[in-house]
Amino acid sequence: MVDRKNEGALAAAYAAKRPEEVAALYDRWSDTYDADMSAAGYRHPTICLALLARHLPRGAAPLLDAGAGTGLIGEWLKIAGYPQVEALDISAGMLAKAERKGVYSALHCLALGGPLPFADDAYAGIISAGVFTSGHVGAEGLDELIRICRPGGIIVLTVKNTLWDAGFSVRIADLEAKGVVTRAEETSPYVSMPGEADTVPSRGLVLRVN
């Protein structure tokens, strides 16, 4: 089960209202984050990796881990055969932990939700686990991820049900109707952290950029 300290960190993350609050919280949490999430049975990284591998060929490059945190997915992407992955995260403290793992080709301390300093069509694939959730990033973060993902590329993300039901699903349907993306896969809702009390389910989503 998740200990009370971790439950408090999660609750604070979901309740955060400003990007600087989110960054400060994760900076403080960075030392114990990996152990805490392991104890909670954190599922997003595994599910996102499986979805990416199903839809993006091994060796595709470069990739962007958008919301990389301490680099949990980056480690597994390297093992799975994706050789060039860049990390983006709002927390300098989390990125410092990710850098020590030596699996990223570049690190970017940036917030999702606004303009990003990357060229159009820069990435073959983007993975974003646990970012589109309460207190973090909403549907407004999609446009820039689509812009920087090349045509035919894959965006894998998780979406918390509270966000999905509050307009995210409508935004995805609108993007599909306009031919911007194709929904390549959508999982059934699942609990991302079995050890977390009173959890709200999330779903995995795979978008192919047209």
Side-chain angles (χ1 to χ4, degrees), residues 3 14 16 23 35 58 65-66 85 93 98 108-109 118 121 139-140 143 156 163 170-171 181-182 189 201 203 205:
D3 64 28
Y14 294 154
R58 188 173 186 267
D65 184 358
V85 185
H108 310 280
C109 192
F118 306 125
D121 308 337
E140 72 279 356
D143 290 345
V156 178
L163 218 62
V170 173
R171 179 63 178 143
V181 300
T182 299
R203 72 194 63 213
L205 191 63

Side-chain angles (χ1 to χ4, degrees), residues 86 88 108-111 114-120 122-123 144 147-148:
E86 299 180 18
L88 180 154
H108 310 280
C109 192
L110 299 166
L116 296 172
F118 306 125
D120 294 354
Y123 296 99
E144 278 292 89
R147 178 186 68 79
I148 65 175

Side-chain angles (χ1 to χ4, degrees), residues 50-61:
L51 292 172
L52 184 80
R54 188 145 60 211
H55 294 277
L56 194 67
R58 188 173 186 267

Side-chain angles (χ1 to χ4, degrees), residues 44 47-52 54-55 126-130 132 139 142 145-146 153-160 163-164 167-173 175-176 181-190 202-208:
H44 281 335
I47 289 168
C48 284
L49 179 64
L51 292 172
L52 184 80
R54 188 145 60 211
H55 294 277
I126 298 170
I127 194 163
S128 189
F132 290 91
L142 282 172
L145 294 185
I146 293 168
I154 287 294
I155 300 173
V156 178
L157 58 147
T158 63
V159 187
K160 204 171 188 70
L163 218 62
W164 185 258
F168 203 100
S169 62
V170 173
R171 179 63 178 143
I172 294 295
L175 289 167
E176 286 186 289
V181 300
T182 299
R183 190 174 342 202
E185 188 169 352
E186 179 184 332
T187 73
S188 300
Y190 62 89
S202 301
R203 72 194 63 213
L205 191 63
V206 182
L207 302 176
R208 186 176 297 278

Side-chain angles (χ1 to χ4, degrees), residues 23 27 87-95 106-112 117-118:
D27 284 347
L88 180 154
D89 201 87
I90 195 172
S91 165
M94 299 289 266
L95 282 176
L107 297 102
H108 310 280
C109 192
L110 299 166
L112 292 175
F118 306 125

Side-chain angles (χ1 to χ4, degrees), residues 49-88:
L49 179 64
L51 292 172
L52 184 80
R54 188 145 60 211
H55 294 277
L56 194 67
R58 188 173 186 267
L63 305 186
L64 180 67
D65 184 358
T70 58
L72 291 175
I73 293 178
E75 290 184 278
W76 299 345
L77 286 170
K78 184 175 182 180
I79 293 167
Y82 297 95
Q84 186 183 349
V85 185
E86 299 180 18
L88 180 154

Side-chain angles (χ1 to χ4, degrees), residues 17 39 43 67 92 106 120 131 151 192 196:
K17 302 296 182 185
R43 293 172 170 175
D120 294 354
V131 175
S192 62
E196 179 190 355

